[in-house]
Amino acid sequence: DVTVKAMSGMKLSRLGNRLSDKGLAGFEFATGIPGTIGGAVRMNAGAYGGEFKDIVISTKCIDITGNIIELANKEQDFSYRHSAFMNNNLIIIQSKLMLDIQENQDEIKQKMDENLNSRKSKQPINMPNAGSTFKRGSDFITAKLIDECGLKGYTIGGAQISDVHAGFVVNTGNATAEDVLSLVDYVKNKVYEKFKKEIQLEVEVIGE
């Protein structure tokens, strides 16, 4: 096992490529996720069977008084798309990750390529979006319910439910925040009307 310190502003794709070049495995799941280390730890980002809770040893952060503190994995209260950082005023500055030495670098790159190809075929990475818009339900697959409501491709203004993956809201070119939020509310209402299931956002809305 190898410990790696990653600054919060480091992009996941950039770090993933650096780690693979050094023969370090365990980060492949995160390489294609849009975002940075800080954001990924804050929301316990995950894909392809891996989550940040599985590789984070500790996280250094700044509290509201300006003191630098370090939280162990258990203190970060990781769960599905959640961490302790979502409920307090801590600012993440660095995380310590536990990775594995892999002698065959080609295996790491092959796994990264497989994940990337899967994203290309199953997610609308060719259109502007903020990643997966809705959380998975505790007993249902949200995208499946949205699809069964016939909402794939449904558009409000410049915002559209992706016709590739119904769990994504994409920008067709001129979407406003109001378009996106109106579409989200519309989808929530339609899913509840049909299935009596409340779906939740995976993205966070900041501001008015």
Side-chain angles (χ1 to χ4, degrees):
D1 292 340
V2 175
T3 300
V4 174
K5 292 181 179 179
M7 300 303 291
S8 65
M10 174 70 78
K11 290 185 176 180
L12 301 180
S13 56
R14 184 179 180 189
L15 178 59
N17 289 327
R18 287 188 177 185
L19 294 174
S20 67
D21 288 342
K22 295 181 180 298
L24 297 178
F27 198 82
E28 296 91 330
F29 76 91
T31 302
I33 298 174
T36 62
I37 287 292
V41 171
R42 185 177 186 274
M43 71 170 295
N44 185 28
Y48 303 108
E51 292 180 297
F52 267 78
K53 69 178 179 61
D54 302 324
I55 61 173
V56 171
I57 300 173
S58 62
T59 296
K60 192 174 292 185
C61 49
I62 304 173
D63 66 19
I64 197 168
T65 63
N67 294 319
I68 295 178
I69 61 176
E70 190 164 1
L71 301 180
N73 181 292
K74 289 185 178 180
E75 295 176 292
Q76 294 173 63
D77 191 27
F78 287 122
S79 60
Y80 175 63
R81 302 299 177 264
H82 176 273
S83 78
F85 300 106
M86 301 179 78
N87 300 324
N88 57 37
N89 295 312
L90 297 176
I91 299 173
I92 298 172
I93 55 177
Q94 183 187 76
S95 285
K96 191 181 296 182
L97 311 177
M98 179 66 73
L99 301 171
D100 301 316
I101 297 176
Q102 172 63 264
E103 294 182 2
N104 189 344
Q105 294 184 19
D106 290 339
E107 290 185 8
I108 301 175
K109 294 184 182 297
Q110 180 180 350
K111 185 62 176 176
M112 289 168 57
D113 287 342
E114 288 175 358
N115 290 347
L116 178 59
N117 289 333
S118 177
R119 285 183 182 278
K120 286 181 177 179
S121 64
K122 298 177 181 179
Q123 298 180 10
I125 63 174
N126 63 323
M127 298 185 73
N129 67 81
S132 178
T133 306
F134 303 98
K135 288 183 178 181
R136 183 182 65 234
S138 59
D139 61 347
F140 59 89
I141 299 173
T142 304
K144 186 173 183 293
L145 299 190
I146 296 172
D147 191 8
E148 290 179 2
C149 285
L151 294 175
K152 264 189 177 180
Y154 188 84
T155 302
I156 292 181
Q160 181 186 68
I161 297 299
S162 169
D163 55 11
V164 176
H165 189 306
F168 287 71
V169 172
V170 299
N171 184 346
T172 61
N174 60 348
T176 63
E178 184 178 359
D179 292 340
V180 173
L181 295 178
S182 295
L183 181 57
V184 164
D185 287 341
Y186 183 83
V187 170
K188 284 183 174 181
N189 291 334
K190 287 298 181 182
V191 169
Y192 188 78
E193 286 176 9
K194 187 175 180 65
F195 298 104
K196 295 298 183 285
K197 298 289 186 181
E198 293 186 359
I199 60 177
Q200 298 180 338
L201 283 175
E202 184 166 320
V203 298
E204 287 193 56
V205 179
I206 299 175
E208 297 180 4

